Short mmCIF file of all heavy atoms in Angstrom, two decimals:
data_model
loop_
_atom_site.label_atom_id
_atom_site.label_comp_id
_atom_site.label_asym_id
_atom_site.label_seq_id
_atom_site.Cartn_x
_atom_site.Cartn_y
_atom_site.Cartn_z
N GLY A 450 65.80 78.16 119.51
CA GLY A 450 65.25 78.91 118.48
C GLY A 450 63.72 78.62 118.30
O GLY A 450 63.12 79.19 117.49
N ILE A 451 63.23 77.70 119.21
CA ILE A 451 61.76 77.53 119.22
C ILE A 451 61.31 77.74 120.73
O ILE A 451 62.15 77.55 121.66
CB ILE A 451 61.35 76.19 118.79
CG1 ILE A 451 61.99 75.08 119.65
CG2 ILE A 451 61.67 75.99 117.34
CD1 ILE A 451 61.37 73.60 119.21
N PRO A 452 60.11 78.19 120.94
CA PRO A 452 59.68 78.51 122.35
C PRO A 452 59.32 77.15 123.13
O PRO A 452 58.48 76.48 122.61
CB PRO A 452 58.48 79.37 122.13
CG PRO A 452 57.92 78.94 120.84
CD PRO A 452 59.14 78.66 120.01
N ILE A 453 60.02 76.96 124.18
CA ILE A 453 59.84 75.74 124.94
C ILE A 453 59.38 76.15 126.39
O ILE A 453 59.99 76.99 127.01
CB ILE A 453 61.10 74.86 124.91
CG1 ILE A 453 61.44 74.41 123.50
CG2 ILE A 453 60.95 73.62 125.93
CD1 ILE A 453 62.69 73.56 123.51
N LEU A 454 58.47 75.25 126.94
CA LEU A 454 58.05 75.50 128.30
C LEU A 454 58.35 74.16 129.03
O LEU A 454 57.90 73.17 128.71
CB LEU A 454 56.54 75.81 128.37
CG LEU A 454 55.83 75.85 129.86
CD1 LEU A 454 56.40 76.88 130.64
CD2 LEU A 454 54.34 75.98 129.66
N LEU A 455 59.10 74.25 130.15
CA LEU A 455 59.40 73.14 130.97
C LEU A 455 58.63 73.19 132.33
O LEU A 455 58.54 74.35 132.80
CB LEU A 455 60.89 73.11 131.32
CG LEU A 455 61.86 73.18 130.11
CD1 LEU A 455 63.29 73.25 130.72
CD2 LEU A 455 61.56 72.07 129.09
N THR A 456 57.88 72.19 132.68
CA THR A 456 57.04 72.23 133.91
C THR A 456 57.27 70.97 134.75
O THR A 456 57.75 69.96 134.27
CB THR A 456 55.54 72.34 133.48
OG1 THR A 456 55.23 71.03 133.05
CG2 THR A 456 55.29 73.38 132.40
N ARG A 457 56.97 71.18 136.03
CA ARG A 457 56.84 70.05 137.02
C ARG A 457 55.36 69.99 137.48
O ARG A 457 54.99 71.02 138.15
CB ARG A 457 57.82 70.13 138.07
CG ARG A 457 58.00 68.91 138.86
CD ARG A 457 59.09 68.93 139.92
NE ARG A 457 60.41 69.13 139.34
CZ ARG A 457 61.13 68.21 138.69
NH1 ARG A 457 60.67 66.99 138.58
NH2 ARG A 457 62.34 68.52 138.35
N ASP A 458 54.73 68.86 137.24
CA ASP A 458 53.32 68.85 137.66
C ASP A 458 53.02 68.61 139.06
O ASP A 458 53.98 68.44 139.92
CB ASP A 458 52.49 67.87 136.74
CG ASP A 458 52.96 66.42 136.94
OD1 ASP A 458 53.47 66.11 138.06
OD2 ASP A 458 52.69 65.58 135.99
N LYS A 459 51.75 68.47 139.65
CA LYS A 459 51.46 68.26 140.93
C LYS A 459 52.04 67.04 141.44
O LYS A 459 52.30 66.86 142.72
CB LYS A 459 49.99 68.23 141.09
CG LYS A 459 49.30 69.59 140.86
CD LYS A 459 47.85 69.52 141.08
CE LYS A 459 47.12 70.90 140.84
NZ LYS A 459 45.67 70.83 141.02
N GLN A 460 52.29 65.99 140.64
CA GLN A 460 52.90 64.72 141.15
C GLN A 460 54.42 64.71 140.99
O GLN A 460 54.98 63.71 141.24
CB GLN A 460 52.32 63.60 140.29
CG GLN A 460 50.89 63.16 140.57
CD GLN A 460 49.91 64.27 140.30
OE1 GLN A 460 49.89 64.76 139.08
NE2 GLN A 460 48.93 64.54 141.13
N GLY A 461 54.93 65.87 140.60
CA GLY A 461 56.47 65.93 140.54
C GLY A 461 57.01 65.53 139.21
O GLY A 461 58.17 65.46 139.15
N GLU A 462 56.15 65.23 138.27
CA GLU A 462 56.64 64.76 136.90
C GLU A 462 57.06 65.80 136.03
O GLU A 462 56.51 66.95 136.13
CB GLU A 462 55.65 63.83 136.18
CG GLU A 462 55.16 62.57 136.87
CD GLU A 462 56.38 61.65 136.95
OE1 GLU A 462 57.04 61.43 135.99
OE2 GLU A 462 56.53 61.11 138.07
N PHE A 463 58.17 65.72 135.26
CA PHE A 463 58.74 66.58 134.37
C PHE A 463 58.07 66.55 133.03
O PHE A 463 57.84 65.46 132.45
CB PHE A 463 60.17 66.42 134.26
CG PHE A 463 60.83 67.15 133.14
CD1 PHE A 463 60.76 68.48 132.98
CD2 PHE A 463 61.62 66.52 132.12
CE1 PHE A 463 61.46 69.21 132.02
CE2 PHE A 463 62.21 67.11 131.10
CZ PHE A 463 62.20 68.50 131.07
N HIS A 464 57.79 67.72 132.42
CA HIS A 464 57.12 67.89 131.20
C HIS A 464 57.78 68.90 130.22
O HIS A 464 58.34 69.87 130.89
CB HIS A 464 55.65 68.15 131.16
CG HIS A 464 54.92 67.16 131.94
ND1 HIS A 464 54.19 66.02 131.55
CD2 HIS A 464 54.43 67.20 133.28
CE1 HIS A 464 53.58 65.35 132.50
NE2 HIS A 464 53.72 66.08 133.59
N ALA A 465 57.72 68.73 128.98
CA ALA A 465 58.09 69.92 128.10
C ALA A 465 57.05 70.02 127.01
O ALA A 465 56.55 69.07 126.46
CB ALA A 465 59.61 69.53 127.46
N PHE A 466 56.83 71.38 126.56
CA PHE A 466 55.82 71.55 125.69
C PHE A 466 56.30 72.79 124.73
O PHE A 466 57.24 73.54 125.20
CB PHE A 466 54.48 72.06 126.26
CG PHE A 466 53.95 71.15 127.37
CD1 PHE A 466 54.27 71.45 128.76
CD2 PHE A 466 53.18 70.11 127.01
CE1 PHE A 466 53.72 70.58 129.61
CE2 PHE A 466 52.69 69.24 127.93
CZ PHE A 466 52.95 69.49 129.22
N LEU A 467 55.73 72.90 123.63
CA LEU A 467 55.91 74.12 122.96
C LEU A 467 55.15 75.17 123.66
O LEU A 467 53.93 75.06 123.91
CB LEU A 467 55.48 74.05 121.43
CG LEU A 467 56.26 73.03 120.60
CD1 LEU A 467 55.66 72.88 119.18
CD2 LEU A 467 57.68 73.48 120.42
N ASN A 468 55.78 76.28 123.82
CA ASN A 468 55.17 77.41 124.56
C ASN A 468 54.28 78.30 123.59
O ASN A 468 54.49 79.44 123.32
CB ASN A 468 56.29 78.31 125.14
CG ASN A 468 55.76 79.43 126.05
OD1 ASN A 468 54.61 79.36 126.52
ND2 ASN A 468 56.61 80.39 126.38
N VAL A 469 53.25 77.64 123.11
CA VAL A 469 52.37 78.17 122.04
C VAL A 469 51.01 77.88 122.39
O VAL A 469 50.57 76.70 122.44
CB VAL A 469 52.80 77.54 120.72
CG1 VAL A 469 51.84 78.02 119.69
CG2 VAL A 469 54.29 77.90 120.29
N CYS A 470 50.08 78.91 122.61
CA CYS A 470 48.62 78.64 122.78
C CYS A 470 48.10 77.95 121.57
O CYS A 470 48.30 78.39 120.36
CB CYS A 470 48.00 79.99 123.08
SG CYS A 470 46.17 79.82 123.36
N ARG A 471 47.08 76.89 121.79
CA ARG A 471 46.68 76.27 120.64
C ARG A 471 45.50 77.08 119.99
O ARG A 471 44.84 76.50 119.00
CB ARG A 471 46.25 74.86 121.05
CG ARG A 471 47.30 74.05 121.51
CD ARG A 471 48.20 73.64 120.34
NE ARG A 471 47.40 73.01 119.28
CZ ARG A 471 46.98 71.82 119.24
NH1 ARG A 471 47.22 70.92 120.33
NH2 ARG A 471 46.30 71.29 118.26
N HIS A 472 45.14 78.24 120.50
CA HIS A 472 44.05 78.97 119.82
C HIS A 472 44.70 79.90 118.67
O HIS A 472 44.39 79.62 117.66
CB HIS A 472 43.41 79.85 120.95
CG HIS A 472 42.36 80.83 120.47
ND1 HIS A 472 42.22 82.07 121.03
CD2 HIS A 472 41.59 80.79 119.41
CE1 HIS A 472 41.25 82.77 120.42
NE2 HIS A 472 40.82 81.98 119.42
N ARG A 473 45.43 80.85 119.11
CA ARG A 473 45.96 81.80 118.17
C ARG A 473 47.49 81.87 118.14
O ARG A 473 48.10 82.74 117.45
CB ARG A 473 45.37 83.20 118.38
CG ARG A 473 43.85 83.22 118.24
CD ARG A 473 43.46 83.45 116.82
NE ARG A 473 43.80 84.74 116.29
CZ ARG A 473 43.03 85.89 116.35
NH1 ARG A 473 42.00 85.82 117.24
NH2 ARG A 473 43.50 87.00 115.99
N GLY A 474 48.15 81.06 119.00
CA GLY A 474 49.64 80.93 118.78
C GLY A 474 50.34 81.84 119.81
O GLY A 474 51.63 81.81 119.65
N SER A 475 49.82 82.52 120.66
CA SER A 475 50.52 83.32 121.63
C SER A 475 51.29 82.54 122.65
O SER A 475 50.97 81.37 122.88
CB SER A 475 49.56 84.28 122.38
OG SER A 475 50.28 85.13 123.31
N ARG A 476 52.41 83.06 123.11
CA ARG A 476 53.11 82.43 124.30
C ARG A 476 52.17 82.49 125.52
O ARG A 476 51.53 83.36 125.88
CB ARG A 476 54.34 83.20 124.53
CG ARG A 476 55.42 83.14 123.40
CD ARG A 476 56.45 84.17 123.56
NE ARG A 476 57.31 83.91 124.72
CZ ARG A 476 58.39 83.19 124.77
NH1 ARG A 476 58.80 82.58 123.56
NH2 ARG A 476 59.18 83.06 125.80
#
C-alpha cells in the first residue's frame, strides 16, 4: 500500500527505500 524500492548496490548490499523523490514526490 506504500511505494517501496528495493536495490542492490555496487558492493552487493541490499537496501529498501520509499519510492518517492524528495523534491516533489514523484516515483
Side-chain angles (χ1 to χ4, degrees):
I451 61 172
I453 296 175
L454 172 62
L455 310 178
T456 73
R457 191 173 299 285
D458 68 23
K459 292 179 180 179
Q460 284 69 46
E462 294 297 315
F463 167 57
H464 305 271
F466 307 98
L467 293 177
N468 187 14
V469 176
C470 179
R471 294 293 306 283
H472 174 216
R473 298 277 292 279
S475 179
R476 294 166 64 90

